[in-house]
Amino acid sequence: MIEEKDLTEVGKIQRTHALKGELNLILDIDPDFFEEGRNPMIIEMDGCPVPFYAESIRTKGQTSYLVKFERIDSEEQARQFVNKTVFALKSELKEYMAESGEDLIDSDDWSGFEVHDSELGTLGTLERIDDSTANILMVVETPDGEELYIPLAEEFLTGIDPDKRIINVNLPEGLIDLNKKKDEV
């Protein structure tokens, strides 16, 4: 059985395309990972992760693709996938990335990393990633036991060193002050 801890998010299905069951898909990874039924796209259906294999994938833009799943042959059948998140098995994706000379760094593996800001220095240790809202946050425990909430945004992230277990950020001035309680300000 596929478990949530074994999955990593790799994309999102936006809408149906045409009448033969194709779907418009935004992917964060190389579509070759899924070509020719090589690896399944895992999609939650009725609360359970279910594997679906791509019959075809073709480029529509830089990160947008048209995908057709095996045995999905109509727009009506394809509608059930609209607005669904696409996952891949971490183990298969790590293996694929290693074959192509890349490393897969999963944000789930970042717990315990030190977070360093380019101006402020060490902010603390990453406790967890909070993805319960539209804005994904790093929850960082400071040396004095306080929690900082820092947006996990590409424009703030300057590098990750998995060997030294450090996440480097360049935060805008005043962002850390937003974490202070109203009576402290």
Side-chain angles (χ1 to χ4, degrees):
M1 182 172 170
I2 300 170
E3 295 186 32
E4 189 176 324
K5 68 178 178 55
D6 299 327
L7 300 174
T8 187
E9 185 177 325
V10 295
K12 183 159 180 113
I13 296 171
Q14 294 186 307
R15 61 186 160 274
T16 60
H17 177 81
L19 302 173
K20 300 203 181 212
E22 281 188 307
L23 294 153
N24 189 0
L25 167 69
I26 302 296
L27 269 182
D28 299 329
I29 63 170
D30 186 341
D32 289 348
F33 177 74
F34 296 113
E35 280 187 347
E36 298 173 8
R38 175 190 239 173
N39 294 299
M41 291 186 198
I42 313 293
I43 300 171
E44 189 173 301
M45 306 297 284
D46 298 323
C48 297
V50 179
F52 292 90
Y53 288 89
E55 184 175 296
S56 66
I57 297 180
R58 55 190 174 109
T59 304
K60 187 177 179 201
Q62 277 190 321
T63 60
S64 183
Y65 302 90
L66 295 176
V67 63
K68 180 170 179 329
F69 292 134
E70 293 175 352
R71 296 186 296 275
I72 303 298
D73 299 315
S74 70
E75 182 182 14
E76 185 178 325
Q77 289 175 315
R79 265 192 229 117
Q80 67 184 320
F81 299 99
V82 173
N83 292 323
K84 297 277 188 174
T85 301
V86 176
F87 298 92
L89 290 167
K90 285 181 190 177
S91 59
E92 290 177 357
L93 189 55
K94 283 182 181 182
E95 186 178 310
Y96 174 80
M97 299 290 276
E99 287 172 10
S100 61
E102 300 176 49
D103 285 327
L104 174 67
I105 300 173
D106 189 342
S107 61
D108 292 341
D109 299 333
W110 295 354
S111 290
F113 277 39
E114 281 190 21
V115 179
H116 290 261
D117 179 70
S118 57
E119 294 292 320
L120 301 171
T122 300
L123 300 175
T125 304
L126 182 71
E127 283 184 10
R128 69 185 186 283
I129 301 293
D130 181 352
D131 61 359
S132 63
T133 64
N135 296 319
I136 300 172
L137 301 170
M138 292 189 290
V139 180
V140 178
E141 184 176 343
T142 66
D144 59 355
E146 298 291 319
E147 281 188 341
L148 296 177
Y149 293 89
I150 300 170
L152 183 56
E154 196 171 318
E155 61 266 24
F156 302 153
L157 197 62
T158 59
I160 301 167
D161 186 335
D163 296 327
K164 293 182 181 177
R165 298 182 54 80
I166 294 174
I167 299 170
N168 292 301
V169 295
N170 184 12
L171 302 177
E173 188 175 328
L175 182 76
I176 296 298
D177 295 334
L178 295 174
N179 285 277
K180 295 186 177 157
K181 295 179 181 145
K182 196 173 188 177
D183 57 326
E184 291 178 17
V185 179

